[in-house]
Amino acid sequence: MNYADIILPLPLDGYFTYSIPVAMQGRVAVGVRVLVPFGRSKTYVGIVARLHDQQPTGYQVKDIAQQLDGQPILLPSQLRLWQWISDYYMSPIGEVYKAALPSGLKAEDGYKPRTETYIRLTAAYQNETALHVALNLLARASKQQEAFIAYLQLSGWENIGNSESRAESLEVSRDELMNESGCTLSTLSLLVKRGMLETYEREVGRLNHGGEPHFENIKKLSPAQQEAYNQILFSFLKKNVTLLHGVTSSGKTEIYIHLIKRELDQHRQVLFLMPEIALTVQMMQRLQQVFGNRLGIYHSKYSDAERVEIWQKQLSPCPYDVILGARSAVFLPFQRLGLVIVDEEHETSYKQQEPAPRYHARSAAIMLGAKTLLGTATPSLESYHNAKMGKYGLVELTERYQGIELPQIQIVDTKDLQRRKMMNGPFSPILLSRVREALEQGQQAILFQNRRGWAPMVECRQCGWVPRCEHCDVSLTLHRNTNQLSCHYCGNTYRVPTECPACGSKDLRGRGYGTEKIEDQIRELLPDARVARMDLDTTRTRNAYERIISDFSSGRTNLLIGTQMISKGLDFDRVSVVGILSADSMLSYPDFRAYEQAYTMMAQVSGRAGRKGKRGLVILQTKQPDLPLLQYVVRNDYGAFYSELIAERQAFRYPPYYRLIYVFLKHKSDGLVETASLELGSRLRQWFGGRVLGPDKPAVARVKTLSIRKLVLKLEGGIDLKKVRQYLAMAQQQMLQDKRYSALQVYYDVDPQ
């Protein structure tokens, strides 16, 4: 094998062939990292994808410069997944590589382990006589003596009078010693200079040391849960994928735990996927109580070094048996994967949006080849359709755990209340009354508003001028906590204007309500409430999720305001009232999935109420109380909702009956991107005919200074997707041969969410 096909972390199609130097032959293997030259002067860390003896023709083959691994860091199953994602989602495999590997495995200098400074006695002072001498020498340097004595106590050397009774020397970190003794760094430096103590660096692991597993903590399943568990196992005998459709608070997690234990008993690993990092906090605590140090956590809020360590542990002889993680965890190496659980499978956050590859973690999980359980109270239409058609198994759990009733949902007509001047800002009288009552009785409440910031826009009351982002085609959101206007697309911030630049008026006001404003007003109306807010602005750090959820779980806060984050499977015992402040805002998106996502969000956030004890109450505020969709939410009638929506999808040629591919074009020049999109649309119609729609401007037609156009392909079932990809690639290549389009960006979103 004289040649290796290499994957490079570049947005380029295909592999790149390099020759294997004689010294490396027999050592280079598929899945190892190698350092290779590329272009005139650059080098990259590549992954060996294939070894062969076929000498390329037409160009000078370069040598691999260096082999970085003795053993593969990528397993054959992972390489197959990378290739499938590249093919299916029409993304160069180099982009899959960039998304899949932690940065520490992509850098030339590799992963730098985290180290910590430790203190120990020098060899000369590791005996009783020398220690007495040292203490005498330090008699006039009290701070050094105190630090030295503190070290002796922490390390176990304090029993200097009886060496036999002295415990084995314990390792003491520099930080620990400074904290315990109150000494400064300069004091320790003087002890080192005297030759009494010395410092050394020790690699510090970041992995979970959660203690031994406690399988006795696994609860016995209720009769309904046991029946669902048995049905899942029976379904897995015939199907690789099973959908568990269980109402909110039906105890799906306990079923998951029993399934995981069964896999561990058979020496297989489990991947447990969750859509949001916020959810992993509660789930991690529940799983750690049972599985202890056999559980590993993996998501994007972890540092790169932590992710590298977990990756390496999964390749070791003693990997984690259970991995709990967000969508990127599908890329981890698994040596004996038996089960994948995709919890809250309906969640759109399983779909990667930016950057490429725009993969769906649910689909990628199914392609891992293990048995896959999809769990949710509100299935995606595609998954439920697959289950109804027999492609997936279907298990239904229709009652809440311990027979607790589903919450009562009361619709409030805010249009009528506004007409009668009975609304208090965004709050109806009954909502305020029920929340106040719940808090007085020691219960908790949740208020759901799916917009963050203070106000979604600022407007001049004289002429209607609205401040907009310089780089994006959107209005700016007012954030009063930072006193800034912010673009939620590119992140740019602007000062809040004091007067209108169009007419000079100083009457500028925020329109609408974001979570910041809701928080501010509820503090005024309910001054005794202990309020917390959970949105993107309050959860930017990894520990923020944990703090907010912990405070609410323990009762330190009793009123939680949040965006869709709070709708996603969180489990709180004392929540008796949930307020959905504006159901209408969820229905106004120009997207064929708007009603599905609105139903899901309302049903899920409603499910946070009354999970323990008495029946919960949901106040659903809307200006359109007669909408059929709201009645489905009130009755918790997913079946009727599905029947209506699936008929519409079939009539208008949408998923699951048709497959969608969005083709996006971006360029700084709006005129050029318009011309290019018309030309590309014309080329595609030669092959696809009426299956091509557009080009059109998307709802937000300029982001980060780039103008955008969108073409839509609607493809019926049975069409050869491989040929579709070939035609799309051919049309794109023909387009980009025109020098006018050299800076044009063309990319694809397959199965958009």
Side-chain angles (χ1 to χ4, degrees):
M1 299 293 181
N2 299 318
Y3 299 96
D5 291 343
I6 309 291
I7 304 169
L8 296 179
L10 299 169
L12 301 170
D13 282 313
Y15 302 149
F16 297 86
T17 303
Y18 289 82
S19 58
I20 304 172
V22 174
M24 293 184 201
Q25 286 180 14
R27 293 194 295 116
V28 172
V30 171
V32 302
R33 293 174 305 150
V34 290
L35 196 62
V36 294
F38 188 82
R40 291 182 179 176
S41 57
K42 292 219 170 187
T43 57
Y44 290 98
V45 175
I47 300 275
V48 176
R50 179 174 167 253
L51 301 174
H52 58 88
D53 277 327
Q54 299 152 19
Q55 182 174 359
T57 57
Y59 64 93
Q60 181 67 39
V61 183
K62 295 179 180 177
D63 279 355
I64 293 172
Q66 187 181 343
Q67 181 174 338
L68 300 177
D69 302 306
Q71 298 294 325
I73 59 130
L74 199 70
L75 302 177
S77 58
Q78 292 174 280
L79 195 53
R80 288 193 296 272
L81 179 68
W82 285 20
Q83 192 61 62
W84 177 81
I85 289 173
S86 174
D87 290 342
Y88 186 84
Y89 293 103
M90 303 181 63
S91 179
I93 197 165
E95 291 186 321
V96 182
Y97 167 17
K98 286 173 72 175
L101 278 188
S103 297
L105 295 176
K106 292 180 288 197
E108 285 186 34
D109 52 358
Y111 152 71
K112 289 188 173 66
R114 177 184 164 200
T115 60
E116 198 169 335
T117 303
Y118 277 72
I119 302 286
R120 65 187 170 205
L121 289 172
T122 57
Y125 283 87
Q126 289 183 15
N127 62 75
E128 184 181 337
T129 304
L131 287 176
H132 280 300
V133 171
L135 290 169
N136 289 331
L137 287 171
L138 297 173
R140 294 187 180 182
S142 59
K143 294 209 179 298
Q144 291 177 50
Q145 190 181 59
E146 286 170 14
F148 193 72
I149 291 171
Y151 168 77
L152 296 178
Q153 291 170 340
L154 289 170
S155 64
W157 281 94
E158 63 176 333
N159 297 309
I160 54 177
N162 183 354
S163 58
E164 288 183 8
S165 69
R166 182 183 62 75
E168 282 299 310
S169 177
L170 302 173
E171 290 195 295
V172 179
S173 74
R174 185 176 65 189
D175 289 346
E176 183 185 7
L177 178 55
M178 289 169 68
N179 287 338
E180 287 294 322
S181 68
C183 72
T184 63
L185 199 57
S186 59
T187 300
L188 287 182
S189 297
L190 289 170
L191 288 169
V192 171
K193 197 172 181 180
R194 283 176 178 266
M196 296 174 179
L197 297 179
E198 63 184 5
T199 62
Y200 64 101
E201 297 297 309
R202 207 194 78 181
E203 187 176 332
V204 180
R206 304 163 181 80
L207 304 182
N208 169 26
H209 302 292
E212 291 299 311
H214 290 282
F215 296 133
E216 68 274 11
N217 289 338
I218 298 179
K219 297 174 186 173
K220 187 179 179 183
L221 296 178
S222 70
Q225 289 173 321
Q226 187 66 51
E227 177 63 22
Y229 174 83
N230 294 340
Q231 286 182 28
I232 290 166
L233 295 182
F234 183 71
S235 174
F236 279 155
L237 294 175
K238 299 181 287 184
K239 312 277 186 186
N240 278 334
V241 183
T242 294
L243 174 66
L244 173 60
H245 179 203
V247 297
T248 56
S249 198
S250 57
K252 294 185 288 293
T253 302
E254 211 56 50
I255 295 173
Y256 298 155
I257 289 171
H258 279 254
L259 289 167
I260 293 169
K261 174 62 165 59
R262 185 176 183 274
E263 292 300 309
L264 268 55
D265 288 344
Q266 297 181 21
H267 307 290
R268 293 194 290 257
Q269 292 173 293
V270 177
L271 170 60
F272 193 135
L273 290 177
M274 305 204 76
E276 289 282 352
I277 296 164
L279 292 179
T280 62
V281 175
Q282 280 196 326
M283 191 60 74
M284 176 185 71
Q285 292 166 352
R286 287 188 69 174
L287 295 183
Q288 271 188 340
Q289 288 171 6
V290 176
F291 301 108
N293 55 19
R294 297 177 75 171
L295 172 73
I297 318 293
Y298 191 86
H299 55 63
S300 59
K301 278 285 195 291
Y302 273 32
S303 71
D304 184 66
E306 284 171 303
R307 282 179 282 157
V308 171
E309 286 191 9
I310 291 171
W311 190 288
Q312 291 176 330
K313 183 170 175 63
Q314 292 311 95
L315 289 167
S316 75
C318 52
Y320 287 123
D321 293 313
V322 187
I323 288 287
L324 172 66
R327 63 173 177 252
S328 59
V330 297
F331 292 116
L332 279 172
F334 290 93
Q335 300 179 58
R336 49 180 197 282
L337 186 64
L339 174 67
V340 180
I341 296 168
V342 184
D343 195 26
E344 309 293 346
E345 68 84 27
H346 61 273
E347 276 291 345
T348 55
S349 48
Y350 277 126
K351 181 71 155 65
Q352 165 78 3
Q353 301 296 338
E354 294 289 343
R358 294 168 182 83
Y359 70 98
H360 200 299
R362 181 183 62 213
S363 301
I366 291 170
M367 295 307 295
L368 289 171
K371 298 294 180 184
T372 304
L373 181 66
L374 311 178
T376 178
T378 52
S380 63
L381 247 69
E382 286 90 336
S383 293
Y384 200 67
H385 180 74
N386 282 336
K388 284 290 190 183
M389 294 296 105
K391 183 178 179 183
Y392 298 168
L394 176 61
V395 176
E396 305 209 73
L397 191 55
T398 56
E399 64 179 61
R400 280 186 148 189
Y401 185 63
Q402 294 183 335
I404 294 169
E405 286 187 276
L406 286 161
Q408 175 194 353
I409 301 178
Q410 186 171 342
I411 293 179
V412 175
D413 184 350
T414 54
K415 188 176 181 181
D416 177 58
L417 290 171
Q418 282 173 340
R419 183 178 56 79
R420 293 192 281 151
K421 295 185 167 46
M422 293 179 67
M423 290 291 289
N424 195 332
F427 309 111
S428 62
I430 189 170
L431 176 61
L432 286 174
S433 169
R434 293 293 182 267
V435 169
R436 186 181 287 113
E437 191 178 290
L439 301 187
E440 286 172 354
Q441 293 175 0
Q443 299 293 303
Q444 294 175 304
I446 288 175
L447 297 179
F448 172 67
Q449 175 74 349
N450 204 27
R451 286 182 181 273
R452 62 189 175 100
W454 174 266
M457 68 166 64
V458 171
E459 183 182 59
C460 171
R461 298 300 289 269
Q462 292 294 319
C463 71
W465 173 81
V466 172
R468 304 183 74 81
C469 180
E470 296 172 1
H471 310 292
C472 308
D473 186 20
V474 289
S475 57
L476 297 169
T477 300
L478 174 62
H479 289 258
R480 215 170 79 166
N481 284 0
T482 56
N483 195 33
Q484 288 181 323
L485 293 171
S486 172
C487 175
H488 288 178
Y489 280 80
C490 69
N492 265 31
T493 55
Y494 303 80
R495 66 177 185 83
V496 180
T498 54
E499 63 178 47
C500 173
C503 71
S505 169
K506 295 187 184 296
D507 192 4
L508 301 173
R509 299 187 196 177
R511 274 185 54 191
Y513 293 88
T515 47
E516 272 185 31
K517 195 172 186 178
I518 300 295
E519 179 186 17
D520 197 66
Q521 294 197 357
I522 206 73
R523 286 183 188 278
E524 286 183 20
L525 294 166
L526 302 173
D528 294 331
R530 301 184 300 277
V531 183
R533 174 163 56 91
M534 188 170 175
D535 56 28
L536 191 63
D537 299 309
T538 61
T539 56
R540 294 195 182 277
T541 64
R542 169 171 139 197
N543 295 329
Y545 289 98
E546 201 165 332
R547 176 180 50 77
I548 294 168
I549 291 168
S550 172
D551 286 351
F552 196 64
S553 293
S554 65
R556 285 189 290 273
T557 56
N558 60 3
L559 179 54
L560 181 62
I561 297 161
T563 56
Q564 59 181 321
M565 283 182 184
I566 62 173
S567 73
K568 299 181 178 182
L570 294 169
D571 189 358
F572 302 113
D573 290 352
R574 295 190 293 276
V575 174
S576 60
V577 177
V578 167
I580 298 173
L581 298 184
S582 175
D584 311 287
S585 65
M586 292 178 263
L587 302 170
S588 56
Y589 293 102
D591 187 277
F592 75 95
R593 293 190 195 274
Y595 268 44
E596 179 184 1
Q597 290 171 356
Y599 173 88
T600 294
M601 232 180 291
M602 286 187 276
Q604 287 285 344
V605 78
S606 298
R608 302 315 107 206
R611 297 176 75 87
K612 299 275 164 57
K614 67 176 186 178
R615 190 183 189 190
L617 173 68
V618 178
I619 306 293
L620 197 161
Q621 299 186 165
T622 175
K623 293 178 180 177
Q624 307 171 74
D626 298 326
L627 272 180
L629 173 71
L630 300 183
Q631 297 306 316
Y632 297 141
V633 175
V634 170
R635 300 198 307 266
N636 191 46
D637 194 346
Y638 179 84
F641 165 72
Y642 168 81
S643 297
E644 180 182 316
L645 213 58
I646 203 75
E648 285 183 13
R649 295 281 183 89
Q650 188 169 24
F652 295 102
R653 300 191 303 166
Y654 278 109
Y657 295 100
Y658 281 73
R659 173 157 280 145
L660 297 185
I661 299 176
Y662 290 171
V663 185
F664 288 98
L665 298 90
K666 288 185 178 181
H667 197 277
K668 286 198 171 185
S669 165
D670 190 70
L672 188 139
V673 81
E674 175 72 14
T675 304
S677 62
L678 288 167
E679 188 176 323
L680 183 58
S682 176
R683 288 178 187 273
L684 293 178
R685 282 189 183 89
Q686 293 174 16
W687 292 309
F688 300 110
R691 298 181 184 89
V692 181
L693 304 179
D696 291 308
K697 285 187 176 183
V700 179
R702 189 168 67 98
V703 174
K704 297 181 182 177
T705 74
L706 296 176
S707 292
I708 308 168
R709 295 293 184 277
K710 181 175 83 172
L711 291 151
V712 177
L713 264 70
K714 284 188 175 181
L715 306 170
E716 65 272 24
I719 201 164
D720 188 338
L721 290 177
K722 189 174 182 182
K723 283 190 176 176
V724 170
R725 290 191 286 268
Q726 288 172 351
Y727 288 141
L728 285 168
M730 200 183 308
Q732 181 181 339
Q733 286 168 3
Q734 290 170 355
M735 281 273 300
L736 297 181
Q737 285 172 1
D738 188 328
K739 289 183 180 177
R740 288 179 303 161
Y741 303 139
S742 58
L744 182 72
Q745 296 179 26
V746 181
Y747 64 90
Y748 308 95
D749 190 359
V750 179
D751 299 341
Q753 292 292 304

